[in-house]
Amino acid sequence: MDSLSGLSSLTNTQKDELMEQVKQQIAVANAQELLTKMTEKCFRKCVQTPGTSLSTSEQKCVAMCMDRYMDSWNTVSRAYSNRIERERARN
């Protein structure tokens, strides 16, 4: 049986709840991916010689890198959202 065929028997409330759960799962997955990529990129950029602890300069570099990464991600996200809204308004 196709897993999507059961959707037709759901009430509108159940469909809305299911859609909300899917949206939440997507948001969590996106946040995890963002954190993973940010960590990888900033570690590669800032930590020249891995050891048991970070030097003060490495800590500052990582903090600044993460701040810049988040600022950039927020800017791109806002621009993307604005574009989606403009396209929806045209239709």
Side-chain angles (χ1 to χ4, degrees):
M1 181 169 133
D2 183 39
S3 62
L4 295 178
S5 63
L7 290 177
S8 61
S9 64
L10 296 177
T11 66
N12 284 339
T13 301
Q14 289 171 322
K15 288 178 184 177
D16 290 344
E17 289 172 357
L18 181 59
M19 185 60 91
E20 189 58 35
Q21 289 176 353
V22 170
K23 286 179 183 179
Q24 288 175 1
Q25 289 174 350
I26 290 170
V28 168
N30 285 338
Q32 288 173 333
E33 182 178 359
L34 171 65
L35 184 59
T36 298
K37 287 187 178 204
M38 181 173 53
T39 301
E40 288 173 359
K41 291 180 184 296
C42 292
F43 185 85
R44 253 188 272 121
K45 178 185 184 325
C46 298
V47 181
Q48 303 303 319
T49 309
T52 58
S53 64
L54 297 176
S55 68
T56 302
S57 62
E58 289 172 332
Q59 290 176 21
K60 288 179 183 177
C61 179
V62 168
M64 290 176 58
C65 177
M66 293 176 84
D67 286 345
R68 283 193 307 268
Y69 198 95
M70 287 300 298
D71 288 344
S72 300
W73 188 83
N74 287 331
T75 300
V76 170
S77 294
R78 276 193 303 273
Y80 181 71
S81 294
N82 290 339
R83 182 176 177 179
I84 297 278
E85 289 301 316
R86 283 194 310 270
E87 289 179 7
R88 284 183 183 162
R90 283 189 224 155
N91 297 329

